[in-house]
Amino acid sequence: MCNRYVAPNELEMERLFHIGRANPVPWPRTIFPRSPGPFIRRARDDAGYSRELAVGQWGLIPWFAKEPRLKFSTNNARSEELEAKATFRDPWRRGQRCIIPALTFDEPNWETGKNQWWTFRRTDGEPWGLAGLWNIWTDRSTGEVHESYTMLTINADEHPLMSRMHKPDPKLPPDQQDKRSVIPLERGDWDQWLAGTTADANALLRLAPVNVFDARPAGEIA
């Protein structure tokens, strides 16, 4: 599961996604769970199709929440459970998909027996566009509206690189660890992810090839 990444600034977002200046609330450069972070979605007020920048809590707030700060983690969502899990089912069915821009993201590597953070960039130098879902939750007591989002993950037990990340469970065999990977979306797939059908989106829920990743222990990437 991803729990830390570095977000682009607003100018980088405008260049990358061809969106106009939206003057959203600011976000920190390094994003942690429950931090505010930027994401790109299909514009809510456009009857046609365009993209817009939104900022919300990294950790999706589901419809049944009693308060915006949850006692359980929702910053990652298993893509295999989107149809069944109450937290993510409605945003998935409504097509509330988003792209989460990241200059880098970090994952823990336990091959030495202790955690060593690794940093992941794209080999082409472009920012990542990671698959996500967004939601809007309104506090019934105050009327305050909260934007939020989650980052999708997929099983990576067979991936040569991503299967090396995260602490292994000694009780499980190597092929049943359920190691996870984020889901990078290629630039040519962004519109399909944001505006396509559920079937179109399902077709993009896949692991990225190894040659997309520039991954090294944190500190080795300038």
Side-chain angles (χ1 to χ4, degrees):
M1 300 292 188
C2 180
N3 286 304
R4 184 172 72 194
Y5 70 95
V6 175
N9 62 34
E10 191 172 354
L11 288 176
E12 291 168 326
M13 298 276 281
E14 292 172 10
R15 177 190 65 81
L16 184 64
F17 290 98
H18 307 294
I19 52 176
R21 183 172 293 274
N23 295 316
V25 297
W27 57 84
R29 194 66 163 173
T30 301
I31 312 294
F32 295 95
R34 297 187 176 88
S35 294
F39 58 93
I40 302 297
R41 65 184 170 200
R42 182 173 183 171
R44 298 177 64 212
D45 297 328
D46 186 348
Y49 170 71
S50 60
R51 304 169 183 164
E52 69 178 5
L53 169 64
V55 178
Q57 172 183 282
W58 185 23
L60 188 140
I61 308 171
W63 63 270
F64 56 80
K66 304 298 184 185
E67 56 186 7
R69 293 192 66 84
L70 305 175
K71 295 180 173 63
F72 53 94
S73 175
T74 59
N75 56 292
N76 292 148
R78 283 178 164 80
S79 57
E80 302 91 339
E81 300 176 348
L82 296 176
E83 284 281 358
K85 200 160 188 178
T87 300
F88 308 116
R89 182 173 56 231
D90 286 351
W92 174 249
R93 289 179 177 175
R94 290 194 294 258
Q96 291 173 198
R97 300 182 294 269
C98 65
I99 300 171
I100 304 166
L103 300 177
T104 65
F105 65 88
D106 294 338
E107 299 285 6
N109 181 296
W110 285 81
E111 291 176 324
T112 64
K114 60 182 180 180
N115 179 21
Q116 182 179 35
W117 285 100
W118 279 43
T119 297
F120 292 72
R121 292 185 186 273
R122 286 184 60 99
T123 52
D124 60 12
E126 288 293 303
W128 298 101
L130 305 177
L133 293 177
W134 62 271
N135 199 33
I136 293 177
W137 179 84
T138 302
D139 190 324
R140 294 181 180 178
S141 63
T142 66
E144 185 177 4
V145 175
H146 294 262
E147 297 266 15
S148 64
Y149 65 101
T150 188
M151 188 179 293
L152 304 190
T153 68
I154 193 169
N155 180 278
D157 285 346
E158 301 299 322
H159 195 273
L161 174 62
M162 300 308 292
S163 64
R164 297 171 57 193
M165 301 299 123
H166 302 284
K167 189 174 184 178
D169 186 340
K171 299 177 182 177
L172 297 175
D175 62 345
Q176 296 179 24
Q177 290 287 316
D178 195 24
K179 296 295 187 76
R180 310 299 298 179
S181 172
V182 297
I183 304 176
L185 300 167
E186 293 302 314
R187 188 186 292 260
D189 295 328
W190 289 349
D191 291 335
Q192 178 177 328
W193 177 252
L194 294 178
T197 64
T198 300
D200 292 332
N202 266 315
L204 299 177
L205 296 176
R206 59 197 179 210
L207 289 164
V210 174
N211 61 9
V212 172
F213 298 93
D214 178 5
R216 307 176 215 171
E220 292 188 10
I221 298 182

